Amino acid sequence: MKTRLFASLAVGAAVVLGTTGCNLIAPQATTIDYSASDGVNVPESGPLQVRNALIVTDDEGSAGNLVAAIVNDTTEAQTLRIEVGEGGSTVRASVQVPASSTVSLGDLANDVAPLALDGFEGAPGSTVPVYFQSGDGQGALIDVPVLDGALEYLRTLAPTPTPTSILVPTTTPSATPSPTPSS
């Protein structure tokens, strides 16, 4: 009788371990960090935290605006230094973030424009290496997605083209003969 009880317990334990054992060695999806949005969260780059960073470009990819939320949890104002691209086509910019506050680049409802990246070049749908650094931090290099204004909520964040020349139609008076008086 005891043998039958131990055998039942052993079979039950084997079934329980067999059906749940995969969870002991498989990675759990809830423990994997990821950016649950269009942009990317920047790993530790100093005292400032950069969240949901993305670049919105025009259709040609010849101008870009950086959109991100920059969080300063410190008691002092901080500067975020940004370098977009690599090699000779690097675009440099910086953003001042007051103490204990968040600056949301591209928060048009609160009159905060995205950061214009003069000289940016990147095709929509690609990624561009961007270096973020603040305070005494080492900084972080991360590939930031480049999107265009095709989606309605990104349309207002896309750079607007600046006219290179304005064509003004001109009219030239036509030489029409004046009627001659008949006699």
Side-chain angles (χ1 to χ4, degrees):
M1 178 98 166
K2 286 187 180 186
T3 316
R4 187 178 267 178
L5 178 64
F6 287 127
S8 299
L9 288 174
V11 168
V15 168
V16 168
L17 286 175
T19 58
T20 61
C22 291
N23 288 335
L24 295 174
I25 58 172
Q28 306 253 332
T30 56
T31 62
I32 300 170
D33 288 329
Y34 71 99
S35 299
S37 62
D38 291 335
V40 292
N41 294 329
V42 177
E44 197 67 34
S45 61
L48 296 177
Q49 301 169 25
V50 181
R51 299 180 182 153
N52 197 25
L54 61 105
I55 297 172
V56 182
T57 186
D58 58 3
D59 293 335
E60 293 81 31
S62 60
N65 288 335
L66 177 69
V67 177
I70 307 165
V71 180
N72 183 358
D73 288 333
T74 69
T75 57
E76 297 177 9
Q78 299 285 333
T79 300
L80 178 67
R81 284 172 283 292
I82 304 163
E83 292 184 18
V84 180
E86 45 191 5
S89 63
T90 302
V91 177
R92 290 179 174 82
S94 64
V95 177
Q96 295 284 340
V97 183
S100 303
S101 66
T102 300
V103 172
S104 294
L105 300 173
D107 182 6
L108 301 177
N110 290 316
D111 294 327
V112 181
L115 180 64
L117 302 173
D118 295 328
F120 173 80
E121 289 185 17
S126 66
T127 60
V128 175
V130 180
Y131 178 75
F132 297 93
Q133 193 273 333
S134 63
D136 294 335
Q138 183 175 346
L141 181 65
I142 188 164
D143 286 334
V144 174
V146 179
L147 304 172
D148 61 7
L151 298 172
E152 185 176 337
Y153 68 95
L154 293 176
R155 206 164 284 139
T156 57
L157 299 171
T160 55
T162 54
T164 54
S165 63
I166 300 174
L167 299 176
V168 179
T170 58
T171 56
T172 55
S174 61
T176 55
S178 56
T180 55
S182 55
S183 355

